[in-house]
Amino acid sequence: MTNSQAQNPWLGLHDAVCVVTGAAGGIGAEIATSLVQQGARVVLLDRELDKCRDLAGVLSQLAGHEVPAIGCDIADPVSVQDAAAQVEARYGRCDVLVNNASVLRPAALEEVTLEQWNQVLSVNLNGYLLCAQAFGRSMLARGAGRIVHVASIAAHYPQTWSGAYSAAKSAVSMLSRQLAAEWGARGVRSNAICPGLIRTPLSAAFYADARVEQARKAMTANRRIGEPADIANAVLFLASPRSDYVNGAEITVDGGLESMLMALIPRPGYESPVSQG
């Protein structure tokens, strides 16, 4: 057993076959890396195959065995079915699906076109269903499996001028709960994670201005910006047998951002000693 496999046997993820969509992105790559460190058999899915292969090379060295990279557009049913068939042929099963792939298309609602709206929904919602169906069938046949969906706090609060993003993420939350309700009795769990402010390559531009970063930190109870590892840690728990009685749930990973609304309202005479200092 390698050091990575022995790192945390408590989670029970050794040799679990885990499929991660959107694996080439910041959060996806961290999720995949964390699963490999637990000794899982990880399969990387992303439509950016070159980036996916680069990550696969790094993770293969870490794992001590090949980590497959598969080009997959989760909005395309044929592409998803092909990826599922490759995983089935290689491993004979899928134990964990992490629905992580996502897109964001800025648009005001009075101007967003139906094409732009559907582009976001096709990945952020339809793609999650297609992957759940394709990889979930083998889980249902075996009577065991775990699905983790990466949603967003934008599922709870409208992310303005972002087109269909909030609507799609809100729907992902309900999709996760409906899968739990329909599949739970057949041994398949479905849960969602709602990230808050997370520093990734896509959001890096927001933090180029130190004042913007400080203002964002001040909006969180933890007074810091989240990192991909914060999301990966929550995924590990929901993907593991240790969360066996957690089904249809959401874990918000936002450093307490959702709890800060009243604290952000100016209230003379009620300022925190921290803010005064």
Side-chain angles (χ1 to χ4, degrees):
M1 179 181 292
T2 66
N3 288 337
S4 65
Q5 291 169 342
Q7 180 178 340
N8 193 351
W10 183 84
L11 284 171
L13 285 167
H14 176 59
D15 276 345
V17 178
C18 304
V19 174
V20 180
T21 73
I27 291 176
E30 187 65 32
I31 292 170
T33 301
S34 296
L35 287 167
V36 166
Q37 289 172 337
Q38 301 304 318
R41 299 280 176 172
V42 179
V43 181
L44 312 177
L45 267 60
D46 204 290
R47 61 185 178 185
E48 296 191 46
L49 184 54
D50 288 342
K51 290 184 179 180
C52 205
R53 283 172 172 164
D54 289 343
L55 176 62
V58 173
L59 295 186
S60 294
Q61 292 186 356
L62 177 63
H65 56 76
E66 183 183 2
V67 174
I70 300 175
C72 180
D73 178 357
I74 67 167
D76 179 357
V78 175
S79 182
V80 173
Q81 289 294 340
D82 179 65
Q86 290 187 54
V87 173
E88 186 72 19
R90 186 183 187 97
Y91 294 111
R93 70 186 195 279
C94 172
D95 298 307
V96 175
L97 167 66
V98 181
N99 262 332
N100 167 72
S102 184
V103 296
L104 175 62
R105 298 285 185 267
L109 287 183
E110 71 268 24
E111 298 173 353
V112 65
T113 66
L114 184 59
E115 180 182 7
Q116 292 171 324
W117 183 268
N118 285 336
Q119 283 176 346
V120 173
L121 289 178
S122 67
V123 175
N124 294 9
L125 176 59
N126 299 352
Y128 281 37
L129 172 64
L130 291 173
C131 288
Q133 289 177 330
F135 292 98
R137 288 189 183 101
S138 67
M139 296 180 184
L140 292 169
R142 295 191 333 273
R146 287 92 74 187
I147 304 176
V148 183
H149 311 270
V150 179
S152 170
I153 58 169
H156 305 155
Y157 305 98
Q159 183 165 301
T160 51
W161 299 289
S162 297
Y165 188 78
S166 279
K169 291 300 187 180
S170 180
V172 164
S173 175
M174 183 54 68
L175 170 64
S176 176
R177 292 170 64 189
Q178 188 169 342
L179 286 169
E182 293 189 12
W183 293 2
R186 300 165 69 184
V188 179
R189 294 190 292 109
S190 173
N191 294 288
I193 290 173
C194 292
L197 303 178
I198 307 298
R199 193 192 311 269
T200 69
L202 288 179
S203 67
F206 297 148
Y207 304 106
D209 186 329
R211 293 172 300 177
V212 172
E213 176 165 357
Q214 187 57 39
R216 285 187 160 221
K217 286 180 177 179
M219 294 180 68
T220 72
N222 283 25
R223 297 300 194 270
R224 73 173 178 87
I225 304 302
E227 300 294 338
D230 294 309
I231 307 304
N233 287 336
V235 170
L236 288 179
F237 172 67
L238 292 178
S240 79
R242 291 293 177 176
S243 60
D244 188 61
Y245 204 54
V246 181
N247 199 9
E250 284 184 5
I251 295 180
T252 299
V253 186
D254 68 350
L257 175 63
E258 286 193 349
S259 300
M260 288 293 288
L261 177 61
M262 295 302 295
L264 295 173
I265 298 174
R267 299 172 67 210
Y270 292 86
E271 293 87 355
S272 161
V274 175
S275 63
Q276 291 176 347

